[in-house]
């Protein structure tokens, strides 16, 4: 069985501040890990993915995530938040057959 | 190349009516998935097709939901009769050997039952 846990359903940062969204996973096989973003009234957009290559994965819009097997974590970071980053972010784990999502973290960016 | 497409994008129906959602996966993708997000809660897995066969339908909530994928191409998800708690966003996704096992999502079908 596989699952992900996202710590914090809501995160608020100031514009220009560091963004850190936490994700821990559980998987019985080496996992594929993903971060998706959903902007208001839009679909799911893939931000980045880890598929057992480099542990530090760079995605779109300046986001990156680091796979840490010892901590079973795949936290999402961005050095400097923009107002346009306000959205809901989902961590997901796949065992190559299907995908399971975390509950989501809503990111608010204050001016 | 076209992505995963879903129709309708938005639907408003009355309780007790029937709605059919359609998903066209990326061409060549054998795997097709349905997920839904109800009332701002987490995204829940519904079922997984491999070609025309149901690989895993453990997430289907009850027998009011029927998914089909005739011919292994597009898929439909029918809700009959619809209930208020079925309101939410229904996402379709697909993957295949030519996508590096990345699952690609459609824009979602937003269903409101009134």
């Amino acid at each position: 069985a596989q699952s992900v846990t996202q710590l914090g359903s809501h995160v608020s940062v100031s514009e220009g501040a560091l963004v850190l969204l936490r994700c821990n996973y559980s998987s019985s096989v080496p996992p594929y890990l993903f971060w998706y973003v959903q902007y208001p009234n839009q679909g799911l957009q893939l931000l980045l993915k880890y598929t057992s290559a480099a542990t530090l994965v760079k995605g779109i819009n300046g986001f990156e995530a680091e796979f840490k097997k010892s901590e079973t974590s795949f936290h999402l970071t961005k050095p400097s938040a923009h107002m346009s980053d306000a959205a809901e972010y989902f961590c997901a784990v796949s065992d190559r057959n299907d995908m399971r999502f975390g509950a989501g973290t809503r990111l608010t960016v204050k001016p | 190349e076209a992505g995963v497409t879903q129709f309708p994008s938005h639907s408003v129906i009355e309780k007790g009516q029937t709605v059919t959602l359609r998903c066209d996966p990326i061409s060549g993708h054998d795997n097709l998935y349905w997920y839904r997000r109800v009332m701002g809660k987490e995204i829940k897995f519904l079922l997984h097709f491999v070609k025309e066969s149901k690989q895993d339908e453990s997430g289907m909530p009850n027998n009011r939901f029927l998914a089909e994928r005739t011919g292994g191409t597009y898929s439909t998800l029918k809700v009959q009769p619809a209930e208020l708690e079925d309101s939410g966003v229904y996402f379709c996704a697909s993957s295949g050997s030519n996508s590096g096992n990345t699952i690609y999502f459609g824009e979602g079908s937003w269903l409101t039952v009134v």
Side-chain angles (χ1 to χ4, degrees):
Chain A
Q2 52 181 0
S3 65
V4 289
T5 302
Q6 291 184 241
L7 300 177
S9 58
H10 290 84
V11 170
S12 181
V13 301
S14 296
E15 191 173 18
L18 171 71
V19 176
L20 171 60
L21 305 181
R22 299 178 186 274
C23 172
N24 288 86
Y25 70 91
S26 172
S27 178
S28 57
V29 298
Y32 288 168
L33 294 161
F34 305 81
W35 276 98
Y36 286 86
V37 59
Q38 185 179 21
Y39 297 101
N41 299 316
Q42 295 187 25
L44 290 170
Q45 181 179 0
L46 179 66
L47 270 180
L48 50 80
K49 63 179 180 180
Y50 166 78
T51 57
S52 75
T55 56
L56 181 62
V57 181
K58 294 187 182 297
I60 62 172
N61 301 337
F63 284 93
E64 62 181 39
E66 185 172 9
F67 172 70
K68 292 187 177 180
K69 184 178 179 180
S70 61
E71 299 177 7
T72 61
S73 69
F74 190 57
H75 302 330
L76 181 71
T77 61
K78 182 173 180 177
S80 176
H82 295 163
M83 297 298 292
S84 60
D85 294 327
E88 193 154 16
Y89 293 79
F90 295 92
C91 182
V93 61
S94 169
D95 65 356
R96 298 147 185 75
N97 288 316
D98 61 35
M99 181 176 286
R100 296 289 189 259
F101 286 86
T105 298
R106 184 170 299 281
L107 175 66
T108 302
V109 182
K110 299 175 292 186
Chain B
E1 179 183 347
V4 178
T5 56
Q6 294 186 243
F7 181 84
S9 58
H10 291 79
S11 180
V12 180
I13 63 171
E14 293 184 352
K15 175 183 173 182
Q17 289 186 321
T18 298
V19 64
T20 300
L21 311 178
R22 173 172 169 143
C23 169
D24 286 79
I26 293 173
S27 177
H29 281 189
D30 288 338
N31 297 292
L32 188 149
Y33 312 84
W34 284 99
Y35 292 81
R36 76 170 179 175
R37 191 178 190 206
V38 174
M39 295 293 289
K41 296 183 179 178
E42 62 188 277
I43 300 170
K44 290 276 196 179
F45 167 81
L46 294 179
L47 88 160
H48 170 206
F49 284 101
V50 177
K51 297 184 180 179
E52 68 275 10
S53 299
K54 292 177 183 176
Q55 177 80 5
D56 180 356
E57 54 182 328
S58 61
M60 295 289 266
N62 52 61
N63 59 10
R64 295 186 293 105
F65 289 77
L66 175 64
E68 295 180 322
R69 192 183 183 195
T70 306
T73 54
Y74 71 91
S75 174
T76 58
L77 179 65
K78 180 189 289 187
V79 185
Q80 179 182 31
E83 298 289 345
L84 298 179
E85 62 265 26
D86 300 331
S87 296
V89 185
Y90 290 77
F91 291 106
C92 178
S94 73
S95 71
S97 57
N98 61 350
S99 71
N101 292 309
T102 296
I103 298 177
Y104 293 93
F105 284 81
E107 293 287 305
S109 287
W110 302 70
L111 174 65
T112 302
V113 183
V114 298

